[in-house]
Amino acid sequence: MPYPESLKKLIEKVVATRSARVERKKNGQEFPPLKLEEREPVLRNFHPDFIKGTRRSIKIGPSKGYAISNEIVDLLEAKSRVNPYLVNLLDPDFETDVLIIGAGGAGTAAALLAAENGAKVTIATKLRHGDANTMMAEGGIQAADKVGKDSPYYHYLDILGGGHFVNDPELVYTMVKNAPDALRWLEGMGTSFSKYEDGKMKTMHGGGTCRKRMHYAADITGAEIMKTIRDEARNHEDMINVIEFAPAVEIALDDQGRCAGAVLYNLETAEYQFVKAKAVIIATGGSGRLHIQNFMTTNHYGATADGIVMAYRAGVPISFLHTVQYHPTGVVFPEQAEGILITEKFRGAGANVLNIHGEQFVYEREPRDVEAACIIRECSPDGRGNGVPTPTGKFGVWLDSPMIEMLKGEGTVRKEFPGKHILFRRFGIDISVEPMLIHPTLHYQNGGLDINNKCETNVPGLYAAGEVAGGIHGENRLMGNSLLDVIVFGRIAGAQAAEYIREHGESGTGNLDHVKHYNEEVEAAEIDEDRIAPMILPDYSNPEVRKKQLTKDYFGTLS
Amino acid sequence: MTEPSETTVDSLVPIFFMGKRYDVPASLTIQKALEYAGYQHIRGCGCRGGVCGACGTVFRTPGSYKLQVGLACQTVVQPGMHLMILPFYPGNRSSFDIEQMNGTGGELAALYPEIFKCIGCNACSQGCPMDIDVMHYMAQAIRGDLAGVAETSFDCIMCGLCASRCPAEEVQFNVAILARRLNARHGIIRAEHLHERVKEIDSGKFEEPLRNLMNKTTEELKELYKSRESEPQMAEEDWTPEDSRYV
């Protein structure tokens, strides 16, 4: 849908202030960023994390008493999808050295490193190999590799500042220190990063960075990385077996409490199958499809927190899940594209964020939580009420992409942002000429399973890497640190799991006793609702149709 | 659960999914229209944002013989359209060891000799939902111009629609990713600064400054954070900070 007349009129106000804004930007005059002490009140008043009644304490399990989003608690206070007394673990359907649950960036990186270290790998994934948030990451991947200008020291400081200084220091240390090597690894596999003629990587700023260290592949960095490492995994079919459309639903433990494999659910045949493994890596990603606080999301269809649920039942505590990341810039018009991510790279390239009057109200490179809270304040009737109304009654603010053409030359938007250019062109909007209308959208699970710097959980033989793990990003992740997280910690998890099985050999016979106990705990806590988890897939089907879907179990020959 | 974006109520139009009629709101994408009709997607649905290649779709509209393509998550329904989502297409793929290769067109041709069977019919380009000039990059592949293939095919989401349309049984998307990887690995100069920095890290250069940071109190960290020097937005690549102790 092209912009209707009402919005075109408002765009004129953006155009009216544009040349003066470009001039200021060229002269280094930026809209003043908030001081550290000014961030707090905006977050407290306008960030969705602080809305009363949206969190509650978990009643059961290893992190009992910890208050996190209701939507996640709903899944943790639920029974297993499968009756643990009925699954046969004595006769495994598959056997492998390392089982990896999830086939996004972390899972695939882990598979490559486990295989490189001699382990036979099975990847079980809910959808297809590569169907993950990694594929959708746009803007870039951070690494402090510009010698003489940047260093892991500054990368560390930026991460701590963005994460409110509560991040796990060991995990941050591990990530910044391994970042340049992660980039080198990706480059060596043939990832097409944007480079200068002399081979130097192009880098730019992201929100909250003090040095330009965001490496990118146009505006589809995650897709480029995901396609490359997936292709490499396919070069090792003898070592890496991928089972698609088979999400794991429970972890199995042996009688010593070590991880012994996982139960998969075959989405097409409805069978529950057991994979016996010597070690398991959880790389199931995030939870945007839970639509926390009913927010629209940038996330992949499969992002439903399954790994958190399974591991929590197996005894792994969780942390940093009390904050959720809302990406400052999701599409709010046209409606067909609502929620879709508009990469922070636009702001990194200099695009201003503007209200209904075409005026700046926020520095465009604040950390994500601060930027999002400022945009919500501008749009909210309880705030400043300067939002741009959409035809469907929502509010947004302008992201002035055309000014990038004036800053960096004509054709830059099309060249540097081909993915978004084509997306909007399909709707009759040329973003090198017209700005985009955006609003914060549910983006990232800041916390997750407790791990150490070897990606170990407290369950021997059970590892976690990527968005499903917590601590690295503290209470707020910076742009470009998620792709980095999945590669660095995915590789570590793969190598560590391979080493673990060399030391420990076979796991014992698997059992689901912990699931039986967990189900009993749910009952004992008098959680009366009839919930089951993990969710596996969201259900967006029409409620009117669902009312007529009366078959709840197998009868006769059809379900 | 409904995806919290459905807010408009608009007129219903008929679409035919695998031949079966459903009446759906006219403003929805094919993906959401099928959900409105009662489907819960398992195959044929991925990122819901036009980059993953799970929902390549072929369709015909009334009164036209032309077969059209799109992504179900990006294409708005058209009244009377007949459609089919193609969630998978079997594709030949050759394995390789990128370390042992030199990045030549000959290597690509040895792995995919069928590229020379291309008859230049352009069905692949017409069948690309990303508007990639597929036939052009196949011609570039035949000429051994891997940098050309890499550039032309950069946006490929590997949905497989090109291969589904090809009378010469090519698997264009696998040819393309091989060319992109060979070009990025062997055709383009490696980033020296990466190797230099990895060496510095391995030699322990940043160990002490980082360990010092890790032992600081939150208040000390806040001071360091506030006073850190920022590279200006418009700075050129050769910018250097005043404080060079840690770089």
Side-chain angles (χ1 to χ4, degrees):
Chain A
M1 307 303 109
Y3 288 119
E5 278 311 312
S6 57
L7 287 175
K8 282 195 169 156
K9 274 235 151 355
L10 292 172
I11 290 176
E12 286 171 14
K13 299 193 178 189
V14 174
V15 176
T17 59
R18 188 177 289 145
S19 26
R21 287 183 285 108
V22 167
E23 224 27 63
R24 285 202 296 275
K25 175 80 84 178
K26 280 184 174 166
N27 296 331
Q29 294 166 265
E30 301 283 359
F31 190 88
L34 292 185
K35 298 196 177 74
L36 205 50
E37 53 275 15
E38 290 170 337
R39 290 178 182 174
E40 179 65 21
V42 186
L43 289 173
R44 193 155 290 285
N45 289 318
F46 292 98
H47 194 280
D49 279 347
F50 292 94
I51 299 175
K52 284 208 177 77
T54 60
R55 290 188 219 167
R56 70 174 195 268
S57 297
I58 315 165
K59 285 186 188 160
I60 51 172
S63 299
K64 185 172 166 177
Y66 181 35
I68 58 174
S69 299
N70 288 326
E71 291 82 355
I72 300 178
V73 179
D74 282 348
L75 295 182
L76 295 177
E77 293 179 349
K79 290 185 182 175
S80 179
R81 293 188 72 86
V82 59
N83 182 340
Y85 292 92
L86 295 181
V87 185
N88 176 11
L89 302 187
L90 298 175
D91 190 13
D93 297 272
F94 307 94
E95 289 197 45
T96 186
D97 290 339
V98 178
L99 170 67
I100 298 172
I101 303 172
T108 307
L112 287 168
L113 262 289
E116 194 179 308
N117 285 280
K120 289 259 185 194
V121 175
T122 294
I123 302 178
T125 186
K126 181 187 300 184
L127 298 165
R128 304 172 310 158
H129 189 180
D131 283 347
N133 283 335
T134 298
M135 189 69 101
M136 308 179 72
E138 298 179 349
I141 176 166
Q142 286 202 38
D145 56 41
K146 292 284 172 80
V147 178
K149 169 158 105 174
D150 195 8
S151 105
Y153 175 92
Y154 291 107
H155 194 179
Y156 185 99
L157 262 186
D158 285 348
I159 291 174
L160 268 279
H164 305 175
F165 301 96
V166 293
N167 319 45
D168 179 329
E170 278 296 333
L171 295 179
V172 181
Y173 163 82
T174 304
M175 187 163 83
V176 299
K177 197 179 145 186
N178 285 290
D181 195 44
L183 266 285
R184 186 201 53 79
W185 184 68
L186 291 171
E187 186 200 36
M189 269 190 294
T191 308
S192 298
F193 287 107
S194 298
K195 286 183 170 183
Y196 296 102
E197 298 232 317
D198 64 356
K200 195 180 233 186
M201 298 265 187
K202 291 188 178 173
T203 48
M204 55 193 306
H205 268 307
T209 58
C210 71
R211 302 292 145 88
K212 294 180 187 171
R213 73 170 77 86
M214 200 72 54
H215 306 64
Y216 53 94
D219 68 341
I220 50 172
T221 314
E224 174 59 20
I225 290 173
M226 190 69 243
K227 284 185 286 185
T228 304
I229 60 177
R230 176 178 66 188
D231 194 61
E232 186 54 24
R234 287 173 178 167
N235 277 340
H236 302 279
E237 280 187 323
D238 53 330
M239 295 296 282
I240 300 172
N241 175 38
V242 184
I243 309 174
E244 298 183 326
F245 297 94
V249 294
E250 295 297 350
I251 301 293
L253 302 176
D254 70 10
D255 57 0
Q256 322 231 333
R258 298 185 304 181
C259 190
V263 177
L264 310 184
Y265 177 61
N266 183 324
L267 280 174
E268 286 154 333
T269 61
E271 284 168 275
Y272 288 93
Q273 298 173 307
F274 177 51
V275 186
K276 183 174 164 51
K278 297 170 189 166
V280 173
I281 299 170
I282 298 187
T284 49
S287 53
R289 290 286 157 187
L290 304 184
H291 294 293
I292 289 165
Q293 295 189 35
N294 212 28
F295 262 81
M296 57 186 188
T297 184
T298 58
N299 277 198
H300 193 274
Y301 188 43
T304 54
D306 299 3
I308 303 260
V309 174
M310 278 180 266
Y312 191 74
R313 282 182 188 147
V316 183
I318 49 178
S319 56
F320 293 100
L321 272 174
H322 58 279
T323 65
V324 174
Q325 182 163 87
Y326 298 85
H327 195 289
T329 57
V331 178
V332 68
F333 181 91
E335 197 199 3
Q336 289 83 357
E338 260 191 354
I340 288 178
L341 175 66
I342 299 300
T343 172
E344 189 164 326
K345 198 183 155 200
F346 279 101
R347 285 175 287 135
N352 291 153
V353 180
L354 307 162
N355 64 19
I356 191 169
H357 308 300
E359 290 163 355
Q360 284 176 271
F361 58 89
V362 63
Y363 175 54
E364 57 269 8
R365 289 201 297 108
E366 297 284 2
R368 283 183 173 167
D369 52 351
V370 178
E371 187 85 21
C374 287
I375 294 173
I376 291 171
R377 177 178 65 182
E378 201 67 14
C379 290
S380 164
D382 305 331
R384 295 175 172 172
N386 286 330
V388 180
T390 75
T392 56
K394 302 195 171 185
F395 289 94
V397 292
W398 299 112
L399 179 60
D400 196 16
S401 46
M403 70 182 282
I404 295 171
E405 300 273 294
M406 294 166 74
L407 287 168
K408 308 217 160 168
E410 219 168 287
T412 307
V413 168
R414 195 192 174 103
K415 188 156 163 275
E416 294 284 330
F417 303 93
K420 283 293 140 337
H421 193 265
I422 185 176
L423 175 86
F424 278 89
R425 201 178 63 203
R426 289 191 185 112
F427 297 113
I429 294 170
D430 180 350
I431 59 168
S432 60
V433 180
E434 292 176 307
M436 290 172 274
L437 199 51
I438 56 95
H439 189 270
T441 172
L442 179 57
H443 188 57
Y444 190 78
Q445 175 183 285
N446 287 320
L449 302 173
D450 271 0
I451 58 165
N452 62 17
N453 61 4
K454 293 176 171 177
C455 295
E456 293 166 329
T457 66
N458 60 338
V459 175
L462 182 62
Y463 296 78
E467 192 173 349
V468 74
I472 300 150
H473 309 292
E475 294 182 338
N476 173 55
R477 178 178 64 78
L478 295 184
M479 171 200 184
N481 280 338
S482 177
L483 282 177
L484 179 61
D485 174 353
V486 300
I487 299 300
V488 167
F489 290 100
R491 295 179 72 204
I492 290 173
Q496 290 294 328
E499 191 179 318
Y500 171 86
I501 63 175
R502 272 201 303 275
E503 279 174 26
H504 296 269
E506 291 286 331
S507 53
T509 305
N511 68 68
L512 294 176
D513 291 351
H514 64 286
V515 179
K516 295 171 191 168
H517 294 148
Y518 198 89
N519 281 350
E520 286 160 15
E521 271 192 78
V522 173
E523 279 173 20
E526 296 182 341
I527 298 161
D528 51 8
E529 288 167 74
D530 203 12
R531 286 191 298 259
I532 56 163
M535 177 189 282
I536 298 180
L537 286 174
D539 190 354
Y540 298 131
S541 63
N542 190 336
E544 292 305 311
V545 176
R546 278 209 297 278
K547 274 188 212 160
K548 301 178 189 171
Q549 293 170 338
L550 299 171
T551 310
K552 293 287 180 236
D553 219 327
Y554 288 93
F555 289 107
T557 57
L558 285 173
S559 62
Chain B
M1 179 190 297
T2 54
E3 198 166 12
S5 62
E6 313 298 333
T7 48
T8 46
V9 177
D10 54 5
S11 57
L12 300 184
V13 297
I15 63 168
F16 297 84
F17 181 49
M18 295 191 282
K20 194 170 184 176
R21 175 176 168 146
Y22 295 96
D23 293 297
V24 300
S27 69
L28 296 184
T29 58
I30 292 168
Q31 186 162 67
K32 288 183 181 174
L34 289 172
E35 288 170 339
Y36 176 89
Y39 284 76
Q40 184 181 22
H41 298 291
I42 293 176
R43 293 225 179 222
C45 179
C47 71
R48 303 174 75 95
V51 293
C52 81
C55 66
T57 299
V58 289
F59 62 94
R60 282 194 160 97
T61 50
S64 168
Y65 75 93
K66 277 198 171 299
L67 199 54
Q68 300 181 67
V69 295
L71 298 174
C73 69
Q74 301 286 300
T75 309
V76 176
V77 295
Q78 295 176 43
M81 74 193 306
H82 274 259
L83 71 108
M84 172 65 199
I85 296 176
L86 203 66
F88 178 82
Y89 199 79
N92 171 44
R93 183 184 180 281
S94 298
S95 283
F96 55 93
D97 181 350
I98 199 162
E99 292 296 324
Q100 301 301 317
M101 297 169 79
N102 299 308
T104 65
E107 289 170 332
L108 181 133
L111 288 166
Y112 292 102
E114 65 271 26
I115 57 174
F116 298 104
K117 284 172 56 194
C118 172
I119 57 170
C121 69
N122 209 33
C124 48
S125 307
Q126 286 169 2
C128 178
M130 298 302 284
D131 296 341
I132 294 168
D133 193 345
V134 184
M135 188 182 80
H136 179 54
Y137 82 61
M138 289 302 283
Q140 290 171 316
I142 290 166
R143 288 201 298 273
D145 174 10
L146 301 190
V149 181
E151 195 185 337
T152 312
S153 73
F154 182 71
D155 295 335
C156 173
I157 55 173
M158 304 181 76
C159 67
L161 285 179
C162 50
S164 79
R165 305 292 306 278
C166 182
E169 297 161 316
E170 308 283 358
V171 182
Q172 295 88 338
F173 56 90
N174 276 337
V175 171
I177 192 165
L178 173 60
R180 285 199 303 279
R181 291 187 59 191
L182 286 176
N183 180 61
R185 173 68 173 80
H186 298 291
I188 287 175
I189 304 172
R190 299 293 289 273
E192 267 310 311
H193 56 97
L194 273 181
H195 296 256
E196 204 179 318
R197 179 46 53 87
V198 171
K199 265 193 224 154
E200 284 181 344
I201 290 171
D202 289 347
S203 74
K205 181 173 174 182
F206 302 104
E207 211 54 29
E208 201 189 314
L210 279 173
R211 288 289 167 192
N212 280 342
L213 277 184
M214 291 164 76
N215 291 325
K216 295 232 182 288
T217 64
T218 302
E219 285 317 307
E220 288 172 326
L221 283 170
K222 280 185 180 172
E223 284 312 308
L224 286 171
Y225 180 74
K226 280 194 272 191
S227 63
R228 75 206 200 288
E229 192 180 344
S230 201
E231 181 177 358
Q233 174 76 33
M234 299 305 283
E236 298 295 329
E237 185 61 36
D238 57 5
W239 176 86
T240 50
E242 277 174 29
D243 182 353
S244 60
R245 282 175 297 165
Y246 305 116
V247 298

